[in-house]
């Protein structure tokens, strides 16, 4: 499918249309926003078969995965509708005036939040529905009261256009201007750069590579007026297997991990890329069972030829690093459409810590097993990772100083710490946190999944001694 390369005039038109509606949408009621979010969910539901079919042709993700992604997208659009109806976009904190001299005496202060304005939203390649045109970033920005200009991902152009046409129909049906949700396409980086640098854009939401994300982030920061850049850049998602977890359960845990690695052909930001485990017979059993499970894994063509190319390059880098042994070798072909074979490698804690190349994410079905000798080494390995969307702890059920130490370290480097289970699968809920310290994301204080994602696009303002008419709006911008 040919990608349309939008000109700077077309980008300008999309952003200008978003700017024109920005004030009206910021002032819109909770009912208006909820109606739009529900209307978008309904139209996705109504066109499910067509969207799944087009999406499968472009991404090879398969109808089971795409149907569940569509379920999730519909769920989160409706969830944001409820979140807005509950008044969360208009939450205020109010301190009545106290007569007298400061510091006890004070004026009346009401803290409200105002929408930032048009958001540039970069669709993710690996979630062509749930983090694309009408995905979580778009839903949260609309809920916050911000128009959106989508940068379509070139990995699924036809699906993006189909969803965008449905979007336009819903806007028309609800009497809303088309500019509320715009879309631009580009085969090269110029369109994305032009969008981020456009003076009318007030914030950016991005999911993708470290390289692309940091390039766009620096554009956001070097504008005459820098803007917030919410980049979700990827992660190695360490899994720490404490000895008590593996005893009697090594094979079962290995099969569970293999299924998590296989999911989406490993093209998932929470895919487990690192397992930390003590040198032991149980660890050997775990490793053999993981190799057996992945040897027969059914993978599929990767999302784009460049992703396959990056995966092959990442594996070549991994296995060529000194001190790394291959446990399950991949299969190198020059065919970018070939299904990649999962790869497992092994190294020691000290080698992992000293070899910085091993800290990089290999996007796809690959996992590095790091053998440790002590709790100190587990902590050192996690600190070497530095920042991750998730850390999973197996065997931390019983309180002890060591367990507390590892838990503390995990919470310092990750946005989400799991006690058991696997990191793939990110629930859409109010308590979710999807975003971790650098290099997992550019803004570790925010989340790109769950209802708190809306907060990224709302800026706090304190109203001092506000007049009665403004108080009566109860946080709804004027
Ligand atoms: P990407 O290369 O980061 O591209 C994402 C978006 O950013 C695209 O719209 C792309 O525009 C734009 N972009 C990339 N580099 C840019 C630059 N230097 N300047 C301006 N815009 C730029 O991600 P991808 O295409 O989805 O996949 C490539 C790699 O990213 C994967 O192999 C994987 O390593 C990683 N990735 C990670 C995650 C994650 O969640 N961790 C998700 C997806 C991908 P154009 O396409 O128009 O150039």
């Amino acid at each position: 499918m040919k990608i349309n390369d939008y000109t700077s005039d077309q980008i300008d038109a999309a952003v200008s249309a978003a700017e024109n509606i920005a004030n009206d949408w910021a002032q819109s009621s909770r009912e208006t926003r909820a109606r739009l979010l529900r209307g978008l969910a309904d139209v996705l539901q109504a066109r499910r078969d067509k969207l799944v079919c087009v999406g499968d042709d472009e991404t090879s993700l398969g109808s089971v995965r795409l149907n569940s992604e569509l379920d999730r997208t519909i769920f989160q659009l409706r969830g944001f509708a409820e979140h807005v109806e509950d008044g969360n976009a208009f939450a205020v904190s109010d301190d009545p005036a106290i007569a007298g001299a400061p510091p006890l005496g004070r004026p009346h202060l009401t803290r409200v939040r105002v929408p930032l304005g048009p958001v540039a939203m970069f669709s993710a390649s690996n979630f062509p529905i749930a983090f694309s045109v009408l995905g979580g970033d778009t839903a949260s920005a609309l809920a916050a009261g911000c128009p959106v200009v989508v940068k379509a991902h070139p990995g699924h152009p036809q699906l993006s256009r189909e969803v965008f046409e449905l979007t336009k129909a819903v806007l028309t049906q609800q009497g809303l201007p088309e500019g509320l949700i715009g879309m631009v396409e580009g085969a090269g980086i110029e369109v994305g750069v032009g969008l981020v640098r456009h003076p009318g854009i007030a914030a950016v939401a991005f999911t993708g590579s470290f390289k692309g994300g940091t390039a766009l982030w620096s554009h956001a920061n070097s504008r005459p007026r820098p803007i917030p850049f919410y980049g979700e850049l990827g992660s190695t998602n360490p899994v720490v297997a404490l000895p008590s977890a593996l005893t009697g359960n090594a094979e079962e845990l290995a099969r569970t991990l293999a299924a998590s690695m296989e999911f989406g052909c490993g093209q998932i930001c929470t895919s487990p890329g690192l397992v930390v485990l003590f040198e032991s017979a149980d660890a050997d059993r775990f490793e053999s069972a993981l190799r057996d499970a992945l040897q027969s894994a059914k993978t599929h063509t990767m999302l784009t030829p460049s992703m396959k190319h990056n995966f092959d390059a990442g594996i070549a880098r991994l296995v060529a690093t000194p001190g790394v042994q291959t446990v399950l070798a991949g299969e190198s072909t020059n065919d970018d459409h070939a299904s990649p074979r999962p790869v497992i490698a092994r190294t020691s804690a000290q080698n992992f810590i000293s070899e910085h190349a091993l800290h990089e994410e290999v996007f796809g079905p690959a996992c590095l097993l790091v053998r440790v000798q002590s709790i100190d080494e587990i902590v050192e390995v996690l600190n070497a990772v530095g920042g991750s969307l998730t850390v999973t702890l197996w065997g931390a059920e019983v309180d002890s100083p060591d367990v507390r130490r590892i838990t503390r370290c995990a919470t310092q480097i990750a946005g989400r710490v799991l006690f058991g289970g696997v990191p793939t699968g990110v629930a859409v809920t109010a308590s979710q946190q999807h975003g971790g310290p650098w290099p997992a994301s550019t803004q570790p204080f925010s989340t790109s999944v769950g209802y708190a994602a809306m907060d990224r696009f709302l800026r706090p303002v304190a109203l001092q001694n506000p007049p009665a008419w403004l108080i009566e709006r109860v946080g709804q911008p004027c």
Side-chain angles (χ1 to χ4, degrees):
M1 173 64 57
K2 187 179 176 313
I3 315 292
N4 294 327
D5 241 333
Y6 275 49
T7 63
S8 56
D9 283 349
Q10 287 172 306
I11 298 168
D12 189 46
V15 179
S16 300
E19 283 183 281
N20 288 341
I21 176 71
N23 278 340
D24 283 351
W25 191 247
Q27 293 160 15
S28 63
S29 67
R30 52 182 87 179
E31 293 77 19
T32 304
R33 294 185 200 178
R35 187 166 56 246
L36 173 61
L37 291 162
R38 288 213 175 84
L40 296 170
D42 291 348
V43 81
L44 291 181
Q45 176 71 294
R47 298 302 295 272
R48 172 181 291 271
D49 292 347
K50 174 83 187 293
L51 297 175
V52 167
C53 182
V54 173
D56 193 25
D57 278 352
E58 286 187 318
T59 66
S60 309
L61 287 174
S63 65
V64 173
R65 156 73 195 273
L66 289 169
N67 267 300
S68 78
E69 217 185 298
L70 200 52
D71 289 339
R72 176 202 175 98
T73 312
I74 291 165
F75 178 86
Q76 69 193 358
L77 282 162
R78 291 181 179 152
F80 272 109
E82 277 175 34
H83 193 64
V84 174
E85 276 171 341
D86 289 345
N88 290 299
F90 308 116
V92 295
S93 121
D94 193 67
D95 292 323
I98 296 178
L104 187 61
R106 65 178 186 217
H108 176 198
L109 281 165
T110 293
R111 197 168 193 263
V112 297
R113 297 188 299 170
V114 293
L116 291 179
V119 173
M121 200 290 286
F122 283 75
S123 293
S125 54
N126 56 341
F127 281 94
I129 304 175
F131 273 82
S132 189
V133 182
L134 290 183
D137 285 329
T138 298
S140 54
L142 291 173
C146 298
V148 176
V149 182
V150 176
K151 159 66 174 66
H153 196 283
H156 52 271
Q158 189 55 34
L159 178 62
S160 303
R161 286 174 205 159
E162 295 279 347
V163 174
F164 186 53
E165 286 308 312
L166 297 176
T167 302
K168 287 200 285 190
V170 172
L171 291 173
T172 307
Q173 196 185 30
Q174 296 197 5
L176 293 166
E178 279 196 1
L180 185 51
I181 308 171
M183 189 174 95
V184 297
E185 296 181 36
I189 63 170
E190 293 76 13
V191 171
V193 172
L195 189 58
V196 170
R197 297 201 71 92
H198 195 290
I201 290 296
V204 184
F206 174 93
T207 301
S209 66
F210 180 83
K211 190 162 158 249
T214 49
L216 288 166
W217 189 26
S218 69
H219 280 292
N221 283 325
S222 63
R223 294 164 34 122
R225 183 173 67 89
I227 50 173
F229 183 91
Y230 299 101
E232 199 265 84
L233 307 180
S235 208
T236 54
N237 303 299
V239 176
V240 179
L242 294 172
S244 65
L246 291 189
T247 307
N249 207 18
E251 287 83 0
E252 180 66 33
L253 282 171
R255 283 190 289 274
T256 305
L257 190 85
S260 176
M261 280 178 65
E262 270 179 66
F263 180 59
C265 201
Q267 303 164 110
I268 302 284
C269 43
T270 54
S271 192
L274 199 68
V275 180
V276 184
L277 64 184
F278 276 87
E279 281 289 5
S280 66
D282 279 335
D284 293 342
R285 271 194 286 280
F286 177 86
E287 187 177 298
S288 306
L290 187 63
R291 188 184 54 223
D292 292 348
L294 288 172
Q295 220 148 20
S296 53
K298 296 261 181 299
T299 56
H300 54 74
T301 304
M302 294 188 81
L303 289 161
T304 62
S306 79
M307 268 198 196
K308 173 69 165 49
H309 181 80
N310 289 346
F311 178 70
D312 289 343
I315 293 300
R317 188 188 66 232
L318 175 68
V319 299
T321 305
V324 172
Q325 294 90 43
T326 303
V327 176
L328 179 65
E331 200 172 35
S332 193
T333 70
N334 287 329
D335 179 3
D336 285 336
H337 296 281
S339 308
R341 282 191 53 193
V343 172
I344 309 171
R346 183 199 319 115
T347 196
S348 68
Q350 290 312 316
N351 198 53
F352 178 81
I353 292 159
S354 61
E355 291 288 349
H356 290 257
L358 300 180
H359 307 171
E360 286 176 35
E361 177 188 44
V362 178
F363 201 65
C367 183
L368 179 61
L369 307 178
V370 180
R371 296 289 189 108
V372 298
Q373 312 271 0
S374 64
I375 297 290
D376 281 350
E377 281 195 341
I378 295 180
V379 170
E380 284 175 54
V381 166
L382 292 181
N383 283 336
V385 169
S388 182
L389 291 170
T390 70
V391 170
T392 302
L393 303 180
W394 289 346
E397 289 72 26
V398 179
D399 190 5
S400 75
D402 284 345
V403 163
R404 284 189 182 215
R405 192 170 163 217
I406 294 166
T407 303
R408 186 165 55 245
C409 182
T411 56
Q412 280 163 354
I413 70 154
R416 180 164 56 108
V417 177
L418 294 84
F419 295 89
V422 287
T424 41
V426 187
V428 181
T429 171
S431 306
Q432 187 54 271
Q433 175 56 29
H434 189 67
W438 179 263
S441 61
T442 59
Q443 306 276 353
F445 306 101
S446 67
T447 178
S448 62
V449 178
Y451 303 121
M454 187 183 74
D455 300 342
R456 295 176 296 172
F457 308 117
L458 290 163
R459 185 175 61 79
V461 179
L463 305 174
Q464 185 163 327
N465 293 326
W469 67 265
L470 198 46
I471 295 171
E472 280 160 18
R473 290 191 68 79
V474 214
Q476 188 175 344
C478 63

